[in-house]
Amino acid sequence: MSTDALQMRGPVHGTKDAKRVAVGSSVGAVIETYDFIGFGTAAALYFGTAFFPGSNSVTGTLAAFATLGVGFAARPIGGIVGGHLGDRVGRKPVLVGSLILMGIATFAIGLLPTYAQAGIIAPMLLVVVRIIQGLAFGAEWGGAILMSYEHAPWRKKGKFTGIVQAGFPVGLLLANLVFLGSVHLGGDWAWRVPFLFSIVLVAVGLIIRSKVPESPVFDDVKEAGVSKSPIKEAIKHDWRNILRGIGLRIAETAGYAVSVTYMISYLHTQELATTSETITALCIASFIGIFATTGWAALTDRIGRRPLYIAVCSFAALFGIPMFLLVNTGLFLFVIATIVLAYAVCQNALAGSQGAWFPELFDASRRASGASLAYQISAMVSGFTPFITTLLFVWLGWLGPALLFIAYALIGLGSALATKGNLGPHRATPRGTGRTRHPGGFSGLHSRKGTTVSTITEAAQHDSKSSIERAAEFAYAMRHHVIDMGEAQGQGYVGQALGAADIFAAVYADRLKYRADDPEWAERDRFLLSTGHYAIGLYAALAAADIVPVAELETYGSDESRLPMSGMATYTPGMEISGGSLGHGLTVAVGMALGLRHQNSASRVFNFLSDGELDEGSTWEAAMGAHHHRLGNLIAMVDMNALQADGPTAGVLGIEPVHEKWAAMGWNVYRVNGNDPAALSEAFDSACAAAEPVGTPSIVICDTKIGYGVTLLENREKAHFMRIDESEWSICRDQLTERFTDPTYLQENEVQA
């Protein structure tokens, strides 16, 4: 399996279990947050006197917060263990195991003796169970998020992972409601009951999680072979993204530790709000946070994770001082407003972004390890933040915590600016040298049903296949990519791309000189797409050639995508010129071929033209110029699909006899069936053999059929710009697969070859 296959984010349209997995993962997040955050509430309100008596209120709070921090310090260890097991054993076992461990530890807190009952043993036991909580919580997040992320549809990764992230405000709300109810019990029961009650939630969570299926991406990882030490691999290859992730996470989790965890204690010790008022404000913020988290997460599917992160971190940096000025008024309404802003905006928006962003920063083979490391190492900073904040308050008053909150927001802002957007880094094939006859093969492609089709990556496979076989398989993969992009956008120039796939394949699979990992390699051949309508076809070729990540095709035509409806050379890798202006591509190709010759370069220029643009722009002037300058390093190709936007070409444009026109211009002319790999191979072999810096330019005129390979689209009367019903995409895939795996068709193709 290729690197791209490991970077795949799961089936394009998600699995049938995507919603069930998201809800199941979220339920576990609810329970574990209830357990873990409940400790923070108890530490702020009760543990100072229950486990650390005989000291003033500040000292007792410091001791309780130090115990709170121990759990956070244990989380990276839990993340390492959970990430390692998640990448080697599977995501699901980690989910179940972490929930059991958390449930046992939390229930045990409700049974602990106090300092008055057991002396020094009581706080020691509290520290032990807190460490166990930290280990479990550290292992939990990576498994829960990855299960949801890898089951979810590509275009809704944010939305589905947001459901999991929303489990945290639900758990926070539930914990505070229970504490709000138990506050009237008095004595130790006020904090014991919430912890004892958690065993019921754990039982429910185990039942739900036991029915959740394993991640489909992990199944691919197992097929490819799991890493012996995914943690080492993550640190070796992804240490930069781990550091960036830590910075991103600090703004959210450490910021929460100041604005919520410490704020609870601040309101209590400064007598700005009663215990009931504080918990009520938290409950309101938590309730709003449930919807805020899912809303922010879904928004990232539209605008991207990075833009939202930058905006919210900027707001948080400005909010630090006003946050304390508002609560210092002592007005309950301002207390509620402050906590809601701090939680539902500053925390929830960042958490909503992280669910999909963090997995996108790492390859699937080490995703659990990398994401968990970044997520949980930052927890150490968060865990001791209330302790540090209390010390800053003793030194600077409320300004100290406010400045710390601002500092955390600025760390997050800087990290967001330094981190890539929605898609993780594409690790292409290693650099080659010299002419690349079959550059890196093409990536394993996952169909809607999750099966893998046509993969060529090994040199041995390359050597055993003919040029015709390689081109046919390349074109087959391209057509699947085209259908996936068409469905993602809901429309597009699908028919032309399907018909021209064999032309692209004849060039990219075996003749174009390029490096997949270095699209701007100086010695590459240039492939110029003259007409922007065919950009979807070129993107499919670039993905099949490993230049563009297969996973990125799902962004086709969406905002901020590198793959717009018409190609843009400024940010699309492998796109030499921006397409869209018909009739001028050959002019650019002539200038480029002439420039390469002046540089004494052996590189060639391939120019793809559509039949309609032959009577537009400066095409024929450029053809004469190529002959005049004897540009033997220029090879053009024309897709003659016999259809224009206004109807059949014969009734719209008088371009025939096109082959005689090109011959009259002094070009080598080859006219072939553009859907016949054998005929194309022979024509391009002849054109390439004649290619030299000074000589005669060549053109391959390709008669194609729009929608070729998909019977449903071949027979569609209006096929220039296709609008295909949602129910028809699966039919297209089935027909394509049947067409190119049918023994009769393959036998006929062998006879032609």
Side-chain angles (χ1 to χ4, degrees):
M1 182 173 291
S2 69
T3 303
D4 270 332
L6 291 180
Q7 288 180 316
M8 287 288 287
R9 300 177 290 172
V12 174
H13 309 284
T15 68
K16 62 182 179 63
D17 301 302
K19 290 183 180 178
R20 183 155 60 97
V21 170
V23 172
S25 299
S26 180
V27 168
V30 169
I31 296 166
E32 299 208 3
T33 302
Y34 172 91
D35 293 348
F36 199 76
I37 300 300
F39 190 102
T41 302
L45 300 178
Y46 302 112
F47 285 172
T49 56
F51 291 92
F52 306 99
S55 57
N56 60 45
S57 61
V58 173
T59 305
T61 300
L62 281 172
F65 279 156
T67 307
L68 176 72
V70 168
F72 280 91
R75 281 172 62 172
I77 301 175
I80 291 172
V81 175
H84 178 82
L85 294 175
D87 284 328
R88 286 191 56 80
V89 180
R91 323 300 197 207
K92 180 178 177 179
V94 175
L95 280 183
V96 176
S98 64
L99 184 57
I100 293 173
L101 192 62
M102 176 65 83
I104 293 173
T106 305
F107 184 75
I109 292 176
L111 302 176
L112 288 180
T114 64
Y115 189 92
Q117 295 169 327
I120 192 64
I121 294 179
M124 292 174 62
L125 291 174
L126 183 65
V127 170
V128 170
V129 293
R130 183 58 181 169
I131 290 173
I132 296 173
Q133 271 194 324
L135 294 172
F137 201 75
E140 151 71 20
W141 182 85
I145 282 294
L146 295 191
M147 284 286 283
S148 180
Y149 177 87
E150 292 170 352
H151 275 276
W154 284 7
R155 291 174 69 87
K156 298 180 180 179
K157 296 292 186 185
K159 176 182 177 180
F160 278 77
T161 54
I163 295 173
V164 180
Q165 294 291 69
F168 295 97
V170 174
L172 179 63
L173 173 62
L174 191 58
N176 283 298
L177 284 175
V178 174
F179 272 99
L180 185 62
S182 67
V183 72
H184 303 292
L185 296 176
D188 291 343
W189 289 111
W191 61 266
R192 290 189 187 276
V193 168
F195 292 111
L196 295 174
F197 175 71
S198 69
I199 199 66
V200 177
L201 300 178
V202 171
V204 173
L206 285 174
I207 293 173
I208 295 174
R209 282 198 168 178
S210 64
K211 298 179 181 180
V212 170
E214 181 57 89
S215 162
V217 175
F218 181 72
D219 291 336
D220 290 342
V221 172
K222 285 196 301 183
E223 180 184 337
V226 297
S227 171
K228 292 182 178 180
S229 181
I231 288 291
K232 289 183 179 179
E233 290 293 313
I235 294 174
K236 178 181 178 181
H237 298 288
D238 303 311
W239 63 270
R240 291 181 181 86
N241 276 345
I242 291 173
L243 291 178
R244 292 176 184 130
I246 292 171
L248 292 171
R249 173 85 167 123
I250 281 175
E252 176 258 315
T253 186
Y256 170 88
V258 176
S259 62
V260 178
T261 304
Y262 172 76
M263 186 64 77
I264 296 173
S265 175
Y266 179 78
L267 294 172
H268 179 66
T269 57
Q270 299 304 303
E271 299 182 352
L272 296 170
T274 66
T275 299
S276 295
E277 287 176 336
T278 301
I279 296 179
T280 299
L282 272 176
C283 289
I284 293 173
S286 301
F287 179 77
I288 295 174
I290 297 169
F291 304 99
T293 302
T294 53
W296 290 120
L299 181 62
T300 67
D301 288 326
R302 296 170 59 89
I303 69 172
R305 333 293 183 208
R306 186 169 178 262
L308 179 62
Y309 225 92
I310 291 172
V312 175
C313 284
S314 300
F315 170 78
L318 297 174
F319 183 60
I321 291 177
M323 177 172 65
F324 279 89
L325 291 175
L326 286 170
V327 298
N328 285 344
T329 64
L331 296 175
F332 184 47
L333 183 62
F334 282 5
V335 171
I336 294 175
T338 301
I339 294 180
V340 167
L341 283 173
Y343 187 62
V345 177
C346 298
Q347 196 276 343
N348 292 165
L350 302 185
S353 302
Q354 291 167 8
W357 199 3
F358 277 38
E360 288 166 349
L361 298 177
F362 304 96
D363 291 343
S365 60
R366 50 185 182 269
R367 182 175 288 158
S369 298
S372 294
L373 273 176
Y375 198 84
Q376 302 303 347
I377 288 177
S378 61
M380 289 192 297
V381 179
S382 174
F384 289 101
T385 288
F387 182 88
I388 297 170
T389 309
T390 303
L391 292 178
L392 286 173
F393 174 76
V394 173
W395 180 32
L396 298 173
W398 64 264
L399 185 61
L403 293 176
L404 183 62
F405 181 81
I406 293 171
Y408 287 152
L410 293 176
I411 290 173
L413 177 61
S415 300
L417 292 172
T419 307
K420 291 184 178 181
N422 289 16
L423 291 175
H426 170 51
R427 304 188 185 284
T429 51
R431 294 185 179 223
T433 55
R435 182 167 179 171
T436 307
R437 294 296 296 172
H438 185 68
F442 53 94
S443 303
L445 168 67
H446 293 267
S447 71
R448 187 180 188 125
K449 296 181 179 179
T451 56
T452 302
V453 297
S454 296
T455 303
I456 301 178
T457 52
E458 300 296 333
Q461 289 177 303
H462 164 66
D463 293 339
S464 67
K465 292 181 181 293
S466 70
S467 170
I468 300 169
E469 290 174 313
R470 288 192 294 274
E473 291 184 351
F474 193 100
Y476 178 47
M478 275 187 61
R479 289 185 169 99
H480 271 285
H481 291 326
V482 168
I483 291 173
D484 285 342
M485 283 187 282
E487 183 173 18
Q489 185 55 233
Q491 58 189 13
Y493 299 94
V494 175
Q496 292 97 319
L498 291 173
D502 296 298
I503 305 173
F504 285 104
V507 177
Y508 272 91
D510 215 46
R511 293 172 179 84
L512 193 71
K513 180 176 63 175
Y514 69 94
R515 287 179 175 174
D517 63 337
D518 188 6
E520 297 184 2
W521 177 41
E523 297 179 31
R524 71 189 184 281
D525 288 333
R526 273 65 170 177
F527 188 97
L528 277 62
L529 183 69
S530 182
T531 171
H533 295 168
Y534 286 81
I536 185 174
L538 181 57
Y539 298 155
L542 294 174
D546 284 337
I547 297 173
V548 168
V550 173
E552 193 170 354
L553 298 181
E554 178 63 17
T555 69
Y556 167 65
S558 62
D559 295 340
E560 295 191 1
S561 172
R562 297 193 302 172
L563 311 177
M565 295 287 281
S566 293
M568 295 295 292
T570 52
Y571 48 78
T572 304
M575 182 75 69
E576 298 287 353
I577 61 173
S578 298
S581 182
L582 302 181
H584 298 291
L586 188 61
T587 303
V588 178
V590 167
M592 197 171 287
L594 190 60
L596 288 170
R597 189 171 71 188
H598 283 318
Q599 293 178 348
N600 295 318
S601 171
S603 298
R604 302 162 298 178
V605 178
F606 291 82
N607 183 208
F608 184 101
L609 306 164
S610 66
D611 52 1
E613 67 179 306
L614 296 185
D615 275 6
E616 296 185 73
S618 55
T619 298
W620 295 114
E621 290 85 349
M624 289 187 289
H627 171 69
H628 172 76
H629 291 290
R630 302 187 65 198
L631 298 179
N633 57 347
L634 174 58
I635 301 173
M637 63 212 77
V638 182
D639 177 27
M640 300 286 291
N641 59 37
L643 187 66
Q644 302 300 308
D646 298 322
T649 303
V652 179
L653 298 174
I655 60 176
E656 294 289 3
V658 67
H659 55 288
E660 294 181 10
K661 293 181 179 180
W662 283 97
M665 294 290 174
W667 286 54
N668 296 324
V669 183
Y670 311 90
R671 187 159 191 171
V672 298
N673 178 353
N675 297 127
D676 180 352
L680 285 167
S681 179
E682 182 178 355
F684 276 104
D685 278 346
S686 299
C688 290
E692 52 188 21
V694 179
T696 302
S698 298
I699 186 167
V700 181
I701 301 172
C702 309
D703 294 297
T704 65
K705 186 173 186 178
I706 280 187
Y708 184 75
V710 179
T711 306
L712 177 69
L713 305 185
E714 288 178 358
N715 298 328
R716 183 149 295 182
E717 183 175 342
K718 179 66 174 176
H720 180 72
F721 186 82
M722 289 188 171
R723 296 188 182 276
I724 301 172
D725 293 340
E726 186 175 350
S727 61
E728 292 179 326
W729 292 107
S730 60
I731 298 174
C732 292
R733 288 189 183 85
D734 292 341
Q735 289 183 349
L736 177 61
T737 301
E738 182 178 1
R739 178 73 165 271
F740 289 95
T741 56
D742 178 69
T744 303
Y745 170 82
L746 295 177
Q747 186 176 13
E748 291 175 354
N749 199 51
E750 289 176 3
V751 171
Q752 290 176 351

